[in-house]
Amino acid sequence: MATPTPPDPDLTARFAADLAALWRGEGRLGLAVSGGPDSLALLLLAHAALPGRVAAATVDHGLRAESANEAAMVGQVCAAIGVPHQTLSVAVEPGNIQSRARAARYAALAGWMQQEQLEALATAHHADDQAETLLARLGRGSGVAGLAGVRARGQVPGTPLLLLRPLLGWRRDELGGVVAAAGLVAVADPSNADDRFDRARIRKAIAGADWLDVPALAQSAANLADSDAALDWAAAREWRECVTKGPLGLTYRPQAPRAVALRVLARIVTELDGQTPRGSAVARLFESLLARQPASIGNLVARAMPDGWSFSKAPKRRS
C-alpha cells in the first residue's frame, strides 16, 4: 500500500487543539479504528498530531463475513504510516446485538489499553453522531441523561480508563474529506443504510432537512451533558443529607425537586437490589410514593412514612 497523504496542516492543528482541550497526557494514545471514514480520519489526524505516540486497534465482532478483511485493511494503513495496530476478535452473545457488541468491544479495548500501557482511548464520535443520538432519544422521551448523548471526556465503560472523543466538533463530511485527500477508500458499513435501524432512518431524515443545524443540535447535547453533571452533583448532595441507613434498608426524606429525587431513587434501588432500574420504573415509583401508596420495584418494597420513604428487600416467598 502506498503511503497515505498526510492531512492538511491546518486540520492537524485544529485536531491537536481539540485533543489538548481534553487531554494533557504525555503518554501514548490508543485509537479505536473500525475502517470507516470517521475512524480512519481519526487515525490520520492523531498520527499527524502525535507522531510516534499513537497505537490503533480494530475490534472484529465476527458478525459480518467482511469484518476480518476490514480489520486487515486497517492494519495495512497503519503499517503504511508506521502506527502499531492490533486486531481484537470478540464473541458477541445472542440478544440485543448492538448493545452486547458495544460491551464486548469496550471490554476488548480496555484489555488492549492495559496490555499496551496506553494512557487514554480516543473514538471517532462526531457532531453528526451527537445530532442523530439527540433526535433518536427525543423520540423515545428520554430524560436529560439520555439526551446528553456522548461526552467529550469520560471513562471506558466498566473501567477507570480515560475515554476521549476529540471529534465532537467535526462534521461527517469533513472527516470523509480527510480520508479522501489521503487517497484511501474507507469501509462502508451496510447497517448505516439499513432502514431497520433507527439511526439509519434518522441519518437519512437529517440529510433531507436542510433547515436542521447539526452543529447546533450537537451543542444542545453538550449543554444537556452539563445539566446532567449538575443533576448528578445535586443528587449526590441530596443523598448525603437526606438518605439514612437502618436495620432493614434505607430511608429517604426528599427535599430536592423531582429530577434530583429520581436520581436518588435510582441509586437506592441499585444499592439495595444490585440492578440499575429503568427510568420509567423509577418515575412510577416516585409517583406512587408521592401519592403515599406502597410500591415495589425489582426485589424491593417502598412505603411512605410520616416523614419520608422507606425501602427494604421484599420478604422471600415461602415455597
Side-chain angles (χ1 to χ4, degrees):
M1 172 181 284
T3 303
T5 302
D8 179 273
D10 289 342
L11 294 179
T12 299
R14 174 184 167 192
F15 174 82
D18 290 343
L19 180 62
L22 303 177
W23 182 58
R24 297 285 184 177
E26 298 296 328
R28 297 167 67 226
L29 178 67
L31 309 173
V33 184
S34 67
D38 311 332
S39 63
L40 280 182
L42 172 67
L43 170 64
L44 296 167
L45 290 165
H47 170 60
L50 299 173
R53 291 179 54 201
V54 298
T58 304
V59 179
D60 182 1
H61 302 89
L63 298 175
R64 293 186 294 113
E66 305 86 356
S67 61
N69 289 335
E70 293 167 358
M73 181 275 286
V74 176
Q76 291 171 1
V77 175
C78 287
I81 61 177
V83 170
H85 174 266
Q86 188 170 339
T87 297
L88 310 174
S89 298
V90 300
V92 181
E93 297 294 328
N96 185 330
I97 293 296
Q98 289 188 325
S99 175
R100 296 191 177 188
R102 178 180 182 274
R105 178 167 63 253
Y106 276 120
L109 288 167
W112 169 70
M113 288 178 66
Q114 293 171 324
Q115 174 187 321
E116 297 296 321
Q117 298 183 324
L118 302 170
E119 275 193 21
L121 175 71
T123 65
H125 293 88
H126 49 72
D128 293 77
D129 288 329
Q130 284 285 61
E132 291 161 9
T133 298
L134 177 63
L135 292 175
R137 293 179 178 175
L138 278 170
R140 297 175 195 151
S142 297
V144 172
L147 296 176
V150 297
R151 277 63 165 178
R153 179 185 169 100
Q155 293 177 323
V156 177
T159 78
L161 301 172
L162 183 60
L163 177 60
L164 307 173
R165 298 182 177 97
L167 297 177
L168 289 182
W170 295 62
R171 296 295 307 277
R172 178 180 287 116
D173 288 347
E174 290 181 291
L175 300 174
V178 171
V179 175
L184 297 176
V185 178
V187 169
D189 186 343
S191 69
N192 289 333
D194 190 336
D195 285 345
R196 291 178 299 173
F197 298 104
D198 290 346
R199 186 173 290 274
R201 294 197 299 273
I202 290 171
R203 183 170 299 172
K204 291 178 182 178
I206 291 176
D210 56 6
W211 51 271
L212 275 177
D213 186 334
V214 169
L217 289 173
Q219 184 58 52
S220 291
N223 293 339
L224 285 161
D226 289 341
S227 299
D228 185 49
L231 286 171
D232 275 344
W233 178 87
R237 179 172 180 174
E238 178 86 345
W239 178 277
R240 292 193 302 270
E241 296 178 356
C242 301
V243 176
T244 55
K245 187 174 183 179
L248 298 179
L250 296 173
T251 298
Y252 175 31
R253 297 172 175 83
Q255 300 294 322
R258 180 180 186 274
V260 175
L262 290 177
R263 296 191 178 216
V264 175
L265 290 179
R267 180 175 171 182
I268 288 172
V269 175
T270 301
E271 295 217 358
L272 290 180
D273 200 25
Q275 299 184 45
T276 302
R278 289 182 176 273
S280 57
V282 175
R284 289 194 297 271
L285 175 66
F286 176 84
E287 297 301 334
S288 295
L289 291 170
L290 201 62
R292 308 200 63 77
Q293 297 174 347
S296 62
I297 183 170
N299 295 311
L300 302 182
V301 173
R303 295 182 176 85
M305 307 182 304
D307 62 343
W309 303 334
S310 69
F311 304 84
S312 59
K313 286 275 192 180
K316 292 184 178 181
R317 295 182 179 180
R318 296 181 178 179
S319 57

